[in-house]
Amino acid sequence: MERISLSNSAFEGDNNAYLFIDGSTAALIDTGDWTRATRQGLAAALADRGLEFADIDRIFLTHWHHDHCGLAGDIQAESGADVYAHAADAALIEGDEDAWEAMYDRQERYFEEWGMPEAKREILRERMRLDVATTETPTVTPFADGDTFSVSGTELEVVHTPGHAAGLCMFEADLERGRAVFSGDTLLPVYTPNVGGADVRVDRPLEKYLRALRGITEADYARAWPGHRDPIDDPAGRAQYIIDHHAERSWRVLDALDRLGPCDTWTVSADLFGELDSIHILHGPGESSAHLEHLERAGTVVRDGTEYRLADGVADELAGLEEERWPLEY
C-alpha cells in the first residue's frame, strides 16, 4: 500500500488516495477531487509507479463528497474499473438527478428551519454550484457494513460510520504495523469532521458519529490512514479527543441558550462560530443543529417551533460544572 497525497484547496488539507498494487492488478481507496491539478497530480503519481488511469482495476470510495470521489468516473471511463461505495451514497456518486434534487430540497427546508438569512443562502447556493461534477460520473457497485474485499493480497473490511455523511465508511486491514484503518473523513488528524451540515440526509448525525468514534477508541488500531493529511499513530487517542471536543461544544450550545434565551439555530451558530462564509454557511448551523437535536432528545433542551431553550433546571447544572464540558451520551 502506498499513500498518494493530492492537492486540495479546501481547509481540510491535502487529500489522500491509497494505492494497492499486486502484479498486474491495482486498486485505489478514494481518488481526490476532479480539479485539473488533482487529475495531473494523480496521473503523475501513478506514472512514477509505471501506471496510468487505464491500469486501475478497482476503486473503493469512503463517501460521496467530491473531494474523495471526484475522479472515479474518469478513471472508470479509461479502465473499466469497478467502483464501490456504500449503498447510502451510491446514487449521489452516480450523479442521479432525483437523489441530488432530494438533497437540495432537504437543504432548503433546513435553511428555513435554521433561520438562515436569504443573503447567506444565496452565497451558499452559488458555492455549491461550484461542486457540481464537470467530469464523468461512475457506475457504482454498492457495499454494506461488514463486507470484505481481497485487494492485492490485503483483506479490506467495510466499517460503516455515518455522521459526516450517510454512507461514510472506513476500511479495516492488517498491514505491516498491525491492524490499521483507512478512516476517510471519520477520523482526521487536524480538523474535526462536520456533522449535521456536510450531509443533511443523516438523521441523528451526532449520535451516530459519537458511536463511530467510540468504536475507534475500542478497536485498538495501530494506525489510521485518513482522507486528509498525515497518518494518525494514536487513533484511539484522536477519537477520544474529538469526543471531548463535542462535549465541550455541547456545553457552549447550552451556554449560548443560557445567555441569549430562546433562539433559533442560526443565532446559536453565530454565537459559536461568528460570521460565516462559503461552505461554512452550511457547516456552522448544521453542526449547531446536530447538537441542539441531540440535546433535545436528551431532555436538556426544549424546542418550540424553530426556537430552542434550556429545559428546567439545566442552568443550575451548567453553573455546577467544574469544566466546560457537558456529559455526552451516544
Side-chain angles (χ1 to χ4, degrees), residues 29-52:
I29 294 178
D30 284 349
T31 69
D33 61 33
W34 50 63
T35 62
R36 179 178 299 176
T38 298
R39 183 186 176 92
Q40 291 174 342
L42 181 57
L46 292 175
D48 288 343
R49 296 156 177 84
L51 301 171
E52 54 188 23

Side-chain angles (χ1 to χ4, degrees), residues 96-112:
D96 181 84
E97 291 184 4
D98 290 340
W100 278 103
E101 195 62 36
M103 167 78 81
Y104 294 141
D105 287 347
R106 188 157 184 166
Q107 285 177 338
E108 292 291 338
R109 291 197 299 272
Y110 276 121
F111 298 165
E112 185 69 24

